[in-house]
Every structure is written in C-alpha cells, then in structure tokens.
Amino acid sequence: MLLRRKIQTNTAGVEAKSEPKDYSASFRWFIVFISASFVLLLMRFWYLQVVEGEHYKQLAFNNFIKRRVVPAERGQIFDIKMRPVATNHPSYDVVLTPAFFTSSSEPEESFRSRINALASYLALSDEDAQKLTERIRNTKPAERYASIPVKSGITRDQLAKIETNSLMLHGVEIVAASRRYYPFNELGTHLIGYVNQINDSELQKLRMYGYRLGDVAGRMGIERAYEPILRGANGLSASVVNAQGIPQLDPESTALMKDWKDVEPISGKNIILTIDMDLQRILKDALRDYPSGAIVAVEPDTGKILGMASTPSFNPNSWSGRLSRDEHIDADTNPYKPMLDKALLAYFPGSIYKVVTAAAVLEEGLMHPQDTLTCPGYYEYGTQRRRFHCWKHSGHGVVSITEALASSCDVYFYKVGEKLGIDTLAEYARQFGLGERTGIGINNEQAGVVPTREWHNKRSKEGFQGGFTLSTSIGQGDVKVTPLQMAMLYATIANGGTLYYPQIIDHIETADGHPIFTYPSRVHSNLPFKKETLNTIKNGLDMVVNSEIGTAFAYRLSNLNVAGKTGSAQVISKRVSSAAVEFKYRDHAWFAAFAPIEHPKIAVVVFLEHGGSGSANAGPVVMEVLERYFREILNNQTR
C-alpha cells in the first residue's frame, strides 16, 4: 500500500508525520473495471469468431483490392492548318485476368470449353486462341491478377455476346479504350507514321518505362520519333472485387479502400507539323503515274518542310491494328517497297548534282562565268584516251557554265571536275550538307555518300582511279544523295546561301490547346561563297527552264517563273531506253526546282525511282506540283 505523507508543525515548531491513507477501496474498483473490460473484449472476440466468423472469413477470402491502369489518351498530330492527321477514336477492347478466369483446380475440359466459347464470340483464329491459352497457362503467379489483352476494337455484335455470357466468362472484361485513327489514310503516311501493339520481346525492354502488355508504340515517322511526347502518362484506379473479379459495393468491402485515391491519367502532348495536307494531296496526285518515288517541298527562307511524300504508300489505319494477313504479305512482297520512305533513302543523283561542281569551280577561280569550253560529244581522258561521252552524242559545241547547266553538258563538267579533283569536289559537297544526315530525325534517314580519294582506296577494288572524279562531277559513280538533302541544297541556292536544318514540327501544345514550345528555324551554315557564284548558278537554273537550250524548256509554265535542274541517273553503266530493260535497271529521273526565281516561296525535288528521263518524266511532275501549289494554296492564302 502506498503512503502519502502530510507535513504538520506543532507549537514547539517540530515537524510531525500524518497517518498513512488507506487505498484498498480504490484498488478494488480498478480491478473490477479491468476485469469487466476483458470480459467484454472476450465476448466480442467470441461473437466475431463464432457467431460472425464464417461471414468475415468469407469476406476476407473473396474480396480484395484490384488496381487497374487507366491508359492515357495519346496526343494528336495536326497539320499546319490544324487539321488532325493522327487522332483517337473510341473503341472497346476485351481483356482477361487469369486469376479470375481459371484456377489450378479447374478441370481441363471446363477450361477448354470456356476458351473455345470466348474465341467463338470474338472470332479468334485457332492460332490466336492457342496463344491465349498458353499465355493464361504460363502466367507467373505474381502476374495472375494483371489483365492481358485478348482482342482490340471489337464490334457491337461481339460486345453483346460477351456481355450476354458474362456469368460464364468471369475474369473477362470489356474496357473502353481509344484507337488511333488517321483521317487522311495514305496521305503523308511515311512522315506521320503509325502505331501498333508492342510484342513480348519489346515489353522486356520497355517495361521500365511503364509499358504494359497490350500497349501501343509508334512504328514510323513522327509517331515513332516523338513517342515520349505523344504517349502521356497512365493513371491508376482501384476497386474491391470478389474471386470472380466482380466489384463489391457493400459497406464492409468499400471500407477496405480506406484513403485510396485514384490517379488520373495525363494525356499526351499534341504536335503541330509544318506540312500542309492540301499540298500532300497534290504530291500524291503528281506521282500517280509512277510506281516508286518521292517528292520533297521546302520553304527556302525557313527550312520548313511543306510536304514530303513517298510512293507507294500504305494505309496506316490497317497497320495500326487491323492488318490482315494478306495485306501483310502484299507489303512484304511488293517490289516497290511501300514501307520504305524513299524521301530519306540515298540514290545516284545524276545531273542535279552538277550545281555542286559548278559552285566548286567558280569558288576555286578555275573558271569564270564568261569562260567557255568546247563539247564535241565526248571527252578523252588519261594516257589511254578513254572516252567519257556526253548525253548528247553530237556535242553542245562551245558553252559557258550557265549554258552547260542549262543544256546539262556532261563534257563541260568532266573537264572542270578533272581540274578540281575528287577531294575538292567532296569538300564543296559537304558544305552543301551532303554526306551527312540532315537531322530531320525520322525513319532512319541515310547520310548518302560523298566519295573521296581515301574512300575509294578503302572501298574500291582497284583503289582510286582518276576516272572516278569525272563520274562524280556529273553525279554518277559512287556519289549518293537523298531527295531531302537535294531539296535543302536547292533551297539554299534559292535563298542566297543559307543552309537550314529541315524543320518538320511547328510547335507542341497541351491536350487542351495551350502552346508549350514553338520550334524556331535553325541555320546549319551560311555558305562562304561569293554572291556572284550563286547568282551565276541561279542564272543557269533559270535557263534550264526558260531558255530554248534548256532541258526543261518544253515544260515551262506561262504564269510562273521557275528555275531548276533536270537529272537522269544511270543505274547500269550503259544508258539504254527505259522500255528496253527491266524496271530495276532503268535510269532514275530527277528534277530540282524553286519558284518564283525573284523571291522563291518553295523549293521542290522530285525523284522517280527508275522513272526514266529527268526532263520528260520528272519535269511534268515538278511543274504540276508548282502550278497547283501557287494556284490552289498560296492564292487562297492571300485572298
């Protein structure tokens, strides 16, 4: 017993101790309170364990929290006039949760019966049904509560069948999704790209970035190059479900959620391109008579890509999820390779390359605008007097550099090329941006080839030979360029010497339209050429179209002052009639142009793979593009 002392003082001033207090009564009440609490607690335990035990046991066994990833809406892609070229349409997908669909104790016959029923409702092939079976059976224990995709974009009839038989197909869900849709179908497909589902091997690499089975990723063009910007960030939701995956809404179940809050998805950013789909349609129309080729259109004063087309094309809506087996086989076996972006592949340029040789010889001071050379129709080179023929076997006679450009005289460029040497030619080609990627950043752009003495010594069987320089000077031999490179090169001549990086994106904005970043024009380099050099070349390109000796004089436009250069690039060593040889051995046809000459608004390069003559075949294509661009697009903008 505890004692409490009370201090008192008597009359003598001496302290006296008080009597100890008795705590026995308080302690007895404390014991009663503790005992009663234990009795009540035991009674509650007994009630929960015995009376309600089975109820709570079943609740704990059957119910748990299921988390579901909420896919983010993919950002849209627009053309410069804010028309969607890649957008999203509502869709319904079927997913399956293995843990809810089956258990290890389920008889095989029952499992097979439901798989077959599901396959029947969704019109799955035998192969797809077997893959689904294997995926369910091989799912790791830790992943059995994660949904796996069964079929995307189901029809209304299929949706009705799944919902009608939902009691038998427990674990099978229909989820609202969005499907990528390309309103312009085949227009600009290579540039815009497409998306489709990632496969199992890709998932292993992309899982760390938040990708899941059934997610899509960009496969070409802008869709692929700007995947992180377009994709967005997924959200997360949760609900309490029972062993069959059915949501539970009773108070006890919802109480399990406690303070859970759903995470809303963040939509991807929108991308606005510099291209105009009206021009894309013009480019497609202009290529209608040719099975393979490309056109690139550039704004000379900014480097913006106004249009870029490759033919044959393909429908991105098919490749984004509904591609049939026959369509896939057709694409793989098509000799014209529709899946290749020919605007970014490197080919022999032929005579459109002669502007490089012209710039080099003028800048080096080896020839002046008024100087002339004689073309008898051939040039004899070296001690063995090997003849290099001009395309005009009767010869062009005495020509200046502008006349040589206008008539595309090979002999003139053979002679000046020999004076320059292959390494000097290569130096000027690189100043124009050749031999390196332009930096457009899509579709595995090729760098092309700018051969040098060293390059030939490493790669040519016989090492460097002097005749290689002559071939290079007219865009033959081993030099290779892409249509995009040549478009940027001719845009540089058109604007007076500023080489831009190609710009394909105008700006990026949020999903609700707020600008985030506007792309500026970027200068690659300013050519250190004399003004006279570029003016002389421009005069020669003017004569190509507007002089009677010009190779494109027959295709000039009456209402538009066009400058340009034709080119026919040999694929085999001997030039023959296109009709006389197999398609793959015919010449490539080129035409590079800009207009109007006084203040160019557009530079266009047309490449027709094995298309024949640069003047007869590529010439009309370029003129159609230019005439329609100014009439249908620019004129409407100025009204």
PDB file of all heavy atoms in Angstrom, residues 112-141:
ATOM      1  N   ARG A 112     -11.146 -25.543 -71.288  1.00  0.00           N
ATOM      2  CA  ARG A 112     -11.144 -25.550 -72.757  1.00  0.00           C
ATOM      3  C   ARG A 112     -12.491 -25.095 -73.310  1.00  0.00           C
ATOM      4  O   ARG A 112     -12.565 -24.393 -74.319  1.00  0.00           O
ATOM      5  CB  ARG A 112     -10.815 -26.948 -73.270  1.00  0.00           C
ATOM      6  CG  ARG A 112      -9.365 -27.361 -73.101  1.00  0.00           C
ATOM      7  CD  ARG A 112      -8.497 -26.628 -74.095  1.00  0.00           C
ATOM      8  NE  ARG A 112      -7.099 -27.001 -73.964  1.00  0.00           N
ATOM      9  CZ  ARG A 112      -6.125 -26.491 -74.711  1.00  0.00           C
ATOM     10  NH1 ARG A 112      -6.432 -25.591 -75.633  1.00  0.00           N
ATOM     11  NH2 ARG A 112      -4.883 -26.864 -74.532  1.00  0.00           N
ATOM     12  N   SER A 113     -13.546 -25.489 -72.637  1.00  0.00           N
ATOM     13  CA  SER A 113     -14.883 -25.127 -73.093  1.00  0.00           C
ATOM     14  C   SER A 113     -15.081 -23.617 -73.082  1.00  0.00           C
ATOM     15  O   SER A 113     -15.615 -23.028 -74.032  1.00  0.00           O
ATOM     16  CB  SER A 113     -15.932 -25.802 -72.209  1.00  0.00           C
ATOM     17  OG  SER A 113     -17.226 -25.359 -72.543  1.00  0.00           O
ATOM     18  N   ARG A 114     -14.606 -22.964 -72.034  1.00  0.00           N
ATOM     19  CA  ARG A 114     -14.781 -21.514 -71.935  1.00  0.00           C
ATOM     20  C   ARG A 114     -13.839 -20.759 -72.878  1.00  0.00           C
ATOM     21  O   ARG A 114     -14.198 -19.712 -73.413  1.00  0.00           O
ATOM     22  CB  ARG A 114     -14.597 -21.064 -70.482  1.00  0.00           C
ATOM     23  CG  ARG A 114     -15.786 -21.484 -69.617  1.00  0.00           C
ATOM     24  CD  ARG A 114     -15.754 -20.940 -68.206  1.00  0.00           C
ATOM     25  NE  ARG A 114     -14.610 -21.432 -67.453  1.00  0.00           N
ATOM     26  CZ  ARG A 114     -13.574 -20.673 -67.096  1.00  0.00           C
ATOM     27  NH1 ARG A 114     -13.564 -19.393 -67.409  1.00  0.00           N
ATOM     28  NH2 ARG A 114     -12.575 -21.177 -66.406  1.00  0.00           N
ATOM     29  N   ILE A 115     -12.636 -21.281 -73.071  1.00  0.00           N
ATOM     30  CA  ILE A 115     -11.714 -20.670 -74.042  1.00  0.00           C
ATOM     31  C   ILE A 115     -12.314 -20.737 -75.445  1.00  0.00           C
ATOM     32  O   ILE A 115     -12.288 -19.758 -76.207  1.00  0.00           O
ATOM     33  CB  ILE A 115     -10.330 -21.353 -74.017  1.00  0.00           C
ATOM     34  CG1 ILE A 115      -9.522 -20.878 -72.815  1.00  0.00           C
ATOM     35  CG2 ILE A 115      -9.556 -21.100 -75.300  1.00  0.00           C
ATOM     36  CD1 ILE A 115      -9.004 -19.455 -72.944  1.00  0.00           C
ATOM     37  N   ASN A 116     -12.847 -21.876 -75.781  1.00  0.00           N
ATOM     38  CA  ASN A 116     -13.457 -22.040 -77.112  1.00  0.00           C
ATOM     39  C   ASN A 116     -14.662 -21.120 -77.292  1.00  0.00           C
ATOM     40  O   ASN A 116     -14.881 -20.565 -78.374  1.00  0.00           O
ATOM     41  CB  ASN A 116     -13.871 -23.496 -77.327  1.00  0.00           C
ATOM     42  CG  ASN A 116     -12.675 -24.422 -77.454  1.00  0.00           C
ATOM     43  OD1 ASN A 116     -11.565 -23.971 -77.783  1.00  0.00           O
ATOM     44  ND2 ASN A 116     -12.875 -25.698 -77.179  1.00  0.00           N
ATOM     45  N   ALA A 117     -15.441 -20.989 -76.211  1.00  0.00           N
ATOM     46  CA  ALA A 117     -16.603 -20.098 -76.291  1.00  0.00           C
ATOM     47  C   ALA A 117     -16.155 -18.648 -76.495  1.00  0.00           C
ATOM     48  O   ALA A 117     -16.712 -17.917 -77.330  1.00  0.00           O
ATOM     49  CB  ALA A 117     -17.441 -20.217 -75.023  1.00  0.00           C
ATOM     50  N   LEU A 118     -15.129 -18.233 -75.748  1.00  0.00           N
ATOM     51  CA  LEU A 118     -14.601 -16.872 -75.877  1.00  0.00           C
ATOM     52  C   LEU A 118     -14.060 -16.634 -77.283  1.00  0.00           C
ATOM     53  O   LEU A 118     -14.320 -15.589 -77.899  1.00  0.00           O
ATOM     54  CB  LEU A 118     -13.511 -16.628 -74.832  1.00  0.00           C
ATOM     55  CG  LEU A 118     -12.836 -15.249 -74.853  1.00  0.00           C
ATOM     56  CD1 LEU A 118     -13.862 -14.152 -74.604  1.00  0.00           C
ATOM     57  CD2 LEU A 118     -11.711 -15.195 -73.818  1.00  0.00           C
ATOM     58  N   ALA A 119     -13.314 -17.607 -77.790  1.00  0.00           N
ATOM     59  CA  ALA A 119     -12.760 -17.495 -79.146  1.00  0.00           C
ATOM     60  C   ALA A 119     -13.870 -17.394 -80.184  1.00  0.00           C
ATOM     61  O   ALA A 119     -13.763 -16.649 -81.158  1.00  0.00           O
ATOM     62  CB  ALA A 119     -11.855 -18.686 -79.445  1.00  0.00           C
ATOM     63  N   SER A 120     -14.946 -18.124 -79.963  1.00  0.00           N
ATOM     64  CA  SER A 120     -16.073 -18.091 -80.891  1.00  0.00           C
ATOM     65  C   SER A 120     -16.768 -16.737 -80.886  1.00  0.00           C
ATOM     66  O   SER A 120     -17.090 -16.180 -81.942  1.00  0.00           O
ATOM     67  CB  SER A 120     -17.068 -19.194 -80.538  1.00  0.00           C
ATOM     68  OG  SER A 120     -18.224 -19.110 -81.333  1.00  0.00           O
ATOM     69  N   TYR A 121     -16.997 -16.190 -79.692  1.00  0.00           N
ATOM     70  CA  TYR A 121     -17.673 -14.900 -79.587  1.00  0.00           C
ATOM     71  C   TYR A 121     -16.864 -13.775 -80.244  1.00  0.00           C
ATOM     72  O   TYR A 121     -17.431 -12.840 -80.807  1.00  0.00           O
ATOM     73  CB  TYR A 121     -17.924 -14.542 -78.124  1.00  0.00           C
ATOM     74  CG  TYR A 121     -18.786 -15.546 -77.385  1.00  0.00           C
ATOM     75  CD1 TYR A 121     -18.615 -15.760 -76.017  1.00  0.00           C
ATOM     76  CD2 TYR A 121     -19.772 -16.274 -78.053  1.00  0.00           C
ATOM     77  CE1 TYR A 121     -19.399 -16.673 -75.333  1.00  0.00           C
ATOM     78  CE2 TYR A 121     -20.553 -17.198 -77.375  1.00  0.00           C
ATOM     79  CZ  TYR A 121     -20.362 -17.403 -76.021  1.00  0.00           C
ATOM     80  OH  TYR A 121     -21.132 -18.315 -75.354  1.00  0.00           O
ATOM     81  N   LEU A 122     -15.517 -13.881 -80.157  1.00  0.00           N
ATOM     82  CA  LEU A 122     -14.651 -12.808 -80.665  1.00  0.00           C
ATOM     83  C   LEU A 122     -14.079 -13.116 -82.042  1.00  0.00           C
ATOM     84  O   LEU A 122     -13.270 -12.339 -82.563  1.00  0.00           O
ATOM     85  CB  LEU A 122     -13.496 -12.557 -79.680  1.00  0.00           C
ATOM     86  CG  LEU A 122     -13.898 -12.054 -78.296  1.00  0.00           C
ATOM     87  CD1 LEU A 122     -12.671 -11.899 -77.412  1.00  0.00           C
ATOM     88  CD2 LEU A 122     -14.654 -10.735 -78.403  1.00  0.00           C
ATOM     89  N   ALA A 123     -14.475 -14.254 -82.627  1.00  0.00           N
ATOM     90  CA  ALA A 123     -13.983 -14.658 -83.953  1.00  0.00           C
ATOM     91  C   ALA A 123     -12.457 -14.742 -83.970  1.00  0.00           C
ATOM     92  O   ALA A 123     -11.800 -14.305 -84.920  1.00  0.00           O
ATOM     93  CB  ALA A 123     -14.479 -13.694 -85.022  1.00  0.00           C
ATOM     94  N   LEU A 124     -11.879 -15.314 -82.905  1.00  0.00           N
ATOM     95  CA  LEU A 124     -10.429 -15.511 -82.858  1.00  0.00           C
ATOM     96  C   LEU A 124     -10.046 -16.696 -83.734  1.00  0.00           C
ATOM     97  O   LEU A 124     -10.771 -17.685 -83.809  1.00  0.00           O
ATOM     98  CB  LEU A 124      -9.958 -15.766 -81.425  1.00  0.00           C
ATOM     99  CG  LEU A 124     -10.213 -14.666 -80.381  1.00  0.00           C
ATOM    100  CD1 LEU A 124      -9.664 -15.115 -79.023  1.00  0.00           C
ATOM    101  CD2 LEU A 124      -9.576 -13.353 -80.802  1.00  0.00           C
ATOM    102  N   SER A 125      -8.897 -16.600 -84.365  1.00  0.00           N
ATOM    103  CA  SER A 125      -8.403 -17.726 -85.146  1.00  0.00           C
ATOM    104  C   SER A 125      -7.925 -18.822 -84.205  1.00  0.00           C
ATOM    105  O   SER A 125      -7.709 -18.592 -83.001  1.00  0.00           O
ATOM    106  CB  SER A 125      -7.247 -17.281 -86.045  1.00  0.00           C
ATOM    107  OG  SER A 125      -6.133 -16.879 -85.270  1.00  0.00           O
ATOM    108  N   ASP A 126      -7.746 -20.028 -84.735  1.00  0.00           N
ATOM    109  CA  ASP A 126      -7.240 -21.134 -83.916  1.00  0.00           C
ATOM    110  C   ASP A 126      -5.874 -20.793 -83.343  1.00  0.00           C
ATOM    111  O   ASP A 126      -5.562 -21.134 -82.189  1.00  0.00           O
ATOM    112  CB  ASP A 126      -7.155 -22.412 -84.755  1.00  0.00           C
ATOM    113  CG  ASP A 126      -8.530 -22.932 -85.162  1.00  0.00           C
ATOM    114  OD1 ASP A 126      -9.526 -22.532 -84.517  1.00  0.00           O
ATOM    115  OD2 ASP A 126      -8.605 -23.730 -86.123  1.00  0.00           O
ATOM    116  N   GLU A 127      -5.072 -20.120 -84.146  1.00  0.00           N
ATOM    117  CA  GLU A 127      -3.727 -19.737 -83.692  1.00  0.00           C
ATOM    118  C   GLU A 127      -3.803 -18.746 -82.539  1.00  0.00           C
ATOM    119  O   GLU A 127      -3.082 -18.874 -81.542  1.00  0.00           O
ATOM    120  CB  GLU A 127      -2.946 -19.122 -84.858  1.00  0.00           C
ATOM    121  CG  GLU A 127      -1.518 -18.714 -84.500  1.00  0.00           C
ATOM    122  CD  GLU A 127      -0.789 -18.079 -85.674  1.00  0.00           C
ATOM    123  OE1 GLU A 127      -1.398 -17.979 -86.772  1.00  0.00           O
ATOM    124  OE2 GLU A 127       0.371 -17.676 -85.503  1.00  0.00           O
ATOM    125  N   ASP A 128      -4.683 -17.744 -82.659  1.00  0.00           N
ATOM    126  CA  ASP A 128      -4.822 -16.747 -81.588  1.00  0.00           C
ATOM    127  C   ASP A 128      -5.400 -17.374 -80.320  1.00  0.00           C
ATOM    128  O   ASP A 128      -5.006 -17.017 -79.204  1.00  0.00           O
ATOM    129  CB  ASP A 128      -5.711 -15.597 -82.053  1.00  0.00           C
ATOM    130  CG  ASP A 128      -5.041 -14.723 -83.097  1.00  0.00           C
ATOM    131  OD1 ASP A 128      -3.796 -14.747 -83.159  1.00  0.00           O
ATOM    132  OD2 ASP A 128      -5.755 -14.042 -83.858  1.00  0.00           O
ATOM    133  N   ALA A 129      -6.344 -18.307 -80.489  1.00  0.00           N
ATOM    134  CA  ALA A 129      -6.922 -18.984 -79.323  1.00  0.00           C
ATOM    135  C   ALA A 129      -5.866 -19.811 -78.603  1.00  0.00           C
ATOM    136  O   ALA A 129      -5.835 -19.856 -77.360  1.00  0.00           O
ATOM    137  CB  ALA A 129      -8.086 -19.870 -79.758  1.00  0.00           C
ATOM    138  N   GLN A 130      -5.001 -20.470 -79.360  1.00  0.00           N
ATOM    139  CA  GLN A 130      -3.940 -21.267 -78.755  1.00  0.00           C
ATOM    140  C   GLN A 130      -2.934 -20.376 -78.025  1.00  0.00           C
ATOM    141  O   GLN A 130      -2.471 -20.712 -76.934  1.00  0.00           O
ATOM    142  CB  GLN A 130      -3.228 -22.089 -79.842  1.00  0.00           C
ATOM    143  CG  GLN A 130      -2.152 -23.020 -79.316  1.00  0.00           C
ATOM    144  CD  GLN A 130      -2.674 -24.032 -78.313  1.00  0.00           C
ATOM    145  OE1 GLN A 130      -3.821 -24.478 -78.415  1.00  0.00           O
ATOM    146  NE2 GLN A 130      -1.855 -24.387 -77.335  1.00  0.00           N
ATOM    147  N   LYS A 131      -2.610 -19.234 -78.625  1.00  0.00           N
ATOM    148  CA  LYS A 131      -1.687 -18.301 -77.967  1.00  0.00           C
ATOM    149  C   LYS A 131      -2.277 -17.785 -76.669  1.00  0.00           C
ATOM    150  O   LYS A 131      -1.569 -17.643 -75.666  1.00  0.00           O
ATOM    151  CB  LYS A 131      -1.372 -17.125 -78.905  1.00  0.00           C
ATOM    152  CG  LYS A 131      -0.453 -17.477 -80.062  1.00  0.00           C
ATOM    153  CD  LYS A 131      -0.178 -16.233 -80.917  1.00  0.00           C
ATOM    154  CE  LYS A 131       0.764 -16.557 -82.067  1.00  0.00           C
ATOM    155  NZ  LYS A 131       1.023 -15.359 -82.929  1.00  0.00           N
ATOM    156  N   LEU A 132      -3.583 -17.506 -76.669  1.00  0.00           N
ATOM    157  CA  LEU A 132      -4.239 -17.039 -75.452  1.00  0.00           C
ATOM    158  C   LEU A 132      -4.197 -18.115 -74.377  1.00  0.00           C
ATOM    159  O   LEU A 132      -3.917 -17.823 -73.200  1.00  0.00           O
ATOM    160  CB  LEU A 132      -5.686 -16.648 -75.767  1.00  0.00           C
ATOM    161  CG  LEU A 132      -6.537 -16.196 -74.576  1.00  0.00           C
ATOM    162  CD1 LEU A 132      -5.945 -14.955 -73.933  1.00  0.00           C
ATOM    163  CD2 LEU A 132      -7.979 -15.937 -75.024  1.00  0.00           C
ATOM    164  N   THR A 133      -4.452 -19.354 -74.764  1.00  0.00           N
ATOM    165  CA  THR A 133      -4.404 -20.470 -73.814  1.00  0.00           C
ATOM    166  C   THR A 133      -3.020 -20.585 -73.185  1.00  0.00           C
ATOM    167  O   THR A 133      -2.884 -20.728 -71.962  1.00  0.00           O
ATOM    168  CB  THR A 133      -4.766 -21.787 -74.527  1.00  0.00           C
ATOM    169  OG1 THR A 133      -6.091 -21.685 -75.053  1.00  0.00           O
ATOM    170  CG2 THR A 133      -4.693 -22.963 -73.559  1.00  0.00           C
ATOM    171  N   GLU A 134      -2.001 -20.523 -74.005  1.00  0.00           N
ATOM    172  CA  GLU A 134      -0.628 -20.640 -73.500  1.00  0.00           C
ATOM    173  C   GLU A 134      -0.273 -19.481 -72.589  1.00  0.00           C
ATOM    174  O   GLU A 134       0.418 -19.655 -71.582  1.00  0.00           O
ATOM    175  CB  GLU A 134       0.341 -20.707 -74.685  1.00  0.00           C
ATOM    176  CG  GLU A 134       0.204 -21.982 -75.516  1.00  0.00           C
ATOM    177  CD  GLU A 134       1.065 -21.953 -76.765  1.00  0.00           C
ATOM    178  OE1 GLU A 134       1.732 -20.908 -76.998  1.00  0.00           O
ATOM    179  OE2 GLU A 134       1.070 -22.953 -77.516  1.00  0.00           O
ATOM    180  N   ARG A 135      -0.752 -18.298 -72.935  1.00  0.00           N
ATOM    181  CA  ARG A 135      -0.448 -17.132 -72.113  1.00  0.00           C
ATOM    182  C   ARG A 135      -1.091 -17.254 -70.737  1.00  0.00           C
ATOM    183  O   ARG A 135      -0.483 -16.902 -69.718  1.00  0.00           O
ATOM    184  CB  ARG A 135      -0.922 -15.863 -72.824  1.00  0.00           C
ATOM    185  CG  ARG A 135      -0.639 -14.585 -72.046  1.00  0.00           C
ATOM    186  CD  ARG A 135      -0.806 -13.376 -72.947  1.00  0.00           C
ATOM    187  NE  ARG A 135       0.293 -13.297 -73.916  1.00  0.00           N
ATOM    188  CZ  ARG A 135       0.334 -12.420 -74.912  1.00  0.00           C
ATOM    189  NH1 ARG A 135      -0.664 -11.564 -75.075  1.00  0.00           N
ATOM    190  NH2 ARG A 135       1.362 -12.385 -75.732  1.00  0.00           N
ATOM    191  N   ILE A 136      -2.334 -17.738 -70.702  1.00  0.00           N
ATOM    192  CA  ILE A 136      -3.006 -17.915 -69.413  1.00  0.00           C
ATOM    193  C   ILE A 136      -2.291 -18.971 -68.579  1.00  0.00           C
ATOM    194  O   ILE A 136      -2.043 -18.785 -67.384  1.00  0.00           O
ATOM    195  CB  ILE A 136      -4.484 -18.306 -69.628  1.00  0.00           C
ATOM    196  CG1 ILE A 136      -5.243 -17.167 -70.310  1.00  0.00           C
ATOM    197  CG2 ILE A 136      -5.151 -18.655 -68.297  1.00  0.00           C
ATOM    198  CD1 ILE A 136      -6.650 -17.537 -70.749  1.00  0.00           C
ATOM    199  N   ARG A 137      -1.963 -20.100 -69.210  1.00  0.00           N
ATOM    200  CA  ARG A 137      -1.317 -21.204 -68.501  1.00  0.00           C
ATOM    201  C   ARG A 137       0.083 -20.844 -68.016  1.00  0.00           C
ATOM    202  O   ARG A 137       0.526 -21.330 -66.965  1.00  0.00           O
ATOM    203  CB  ARG A 137      -1.238 -22.428 -69.410  1.00  0.00           C
ATOM    204  CG  ARG A 137      -2.580 -23.113 -69.696  1.00  0.00           C
ATOM    205  CD  ARG A 137      -3.250 -23.564 -68.439  1.00  0.00           C
ATOM    206  NE  ARG A 137      -4.334 -24.503 -68.672  1.00  0.00           N
ATOM    207  CZ  ARG A 137      -5.289 -24.742 -67.798  1.00  0.00           C
ATOM    208  NH1 ARG A 137      -5.324 -24.078 -66.639  1.00  0.00           N
ATOM    209  NH2 ARG A 137      -6.244 -25.621 -68.071  1.00  0.00           N
ATOM    210  N   ASN A 138       0.782 -19.997 -68.775  1.00  0.00           N
ATOM    211  CA  ASN A 138       2.181 -19.698 -68.458  1.00  0.00           C
ATOM    212  C   ASN A 138       2.366 -18.425 -67.647  1.00  0.00           C
ATOM    213  O   ASN A 138       3.500 -18.004 -67.406  1.00  0.00           O
ATOM    214  CB  ASN A 138       2.990 -19.596 -69.753  1.00  0.00           C
ATOM    215  CG  ASN A 138       3.025 -20.913 -70.522  1.00  0.00           C
ATOM    216  OD1 ASN A 138       2.942 -21.982 -69.925  1.00  0.00           O
ATOM    217  ND2 ASN A 138       3.151 -20.832 -71.834  1.00  0.00           N
ATOM    218  N   THR A 139       1.257 -17.811 -67.242  1.00  0.00           N
ATOM    219  CA  THR A 139       1.366 -16.586 -66.458  1.00  0.00           C
ATOM    220  C   THR A 139       1.978 -16.887 -65.093  1.00  0.00           C
ATOM    221  O   THR A 139       1.556 -17.819 -64.406  1.00  0.00           O
ATOM    222  CB  THR A 139      -0.023 -15.944 -66.261  1.00  0.00           C
ATOM    223  OG1 THR A 139      -0.579 -15.658 -67.539  1.00  0.00           O
ATOM    224  CG2 THR A 139       0.092 -14.651 -65.467  1.00  0.00           C
ATOM    225  N   LYS A 140       2.957 -16.102 -64.709  1.00  0.00           N
ATOM    226  CA  LYS A 140       3.607 -16.287 -63.418  1.00  0.00           C
ATOM    227  C   LYS A 140       2.620 -15.976 -62.288  1.00  0.00           C
ATOM    228  O   LYS A 140       1.742 -15.121 -62.457  1.00  0.00           O
ATOM    229  CB  LYS A 140       4.835 -15.382 -63.310  1.00  0.00           C
ATOM    230  CG  LYS A 140       5.906 -15.683 -64.350  1.00  0.00           C
ATOM    231  CD  LYS A 140       7.054 -14.695 -64.226  1.00  0.00           C
ATOM    232  CE  LYS A 140       8.119 -14.969 -65.286  1.00  0.00           C
ATOM    233  NZ  LYS A 140       9.218 -13.989 -65.219  1.00  0.00           N
ATOM    234  N   PRO A 141       2.753 -16.647 -61.146  1.00  0.00           N
ATOM    235  CA  PRO A 141       1.820 -16.409 -60.030  1.00  0.00           C
ATOM    236  C   PRO A 141       1.691 -14.941 -59.652  1.00  0.00           C
ATOM    237  O   PRO A 141       0.593 -14.463 -59.349  1.00  0.00           O
ATOM    238  CB  PRO A 141       2.431 -17.230 -58.884  1.00  0.00           C
ATOM    239  CG  PRO A 141       3.172 -18.332 -59.588  1.00  0.00           C
ATOM    240  CD  PRO A 141       3.723 -17.719 -60.838  1.00  0.00           C
TER     241      PRO A 141
END
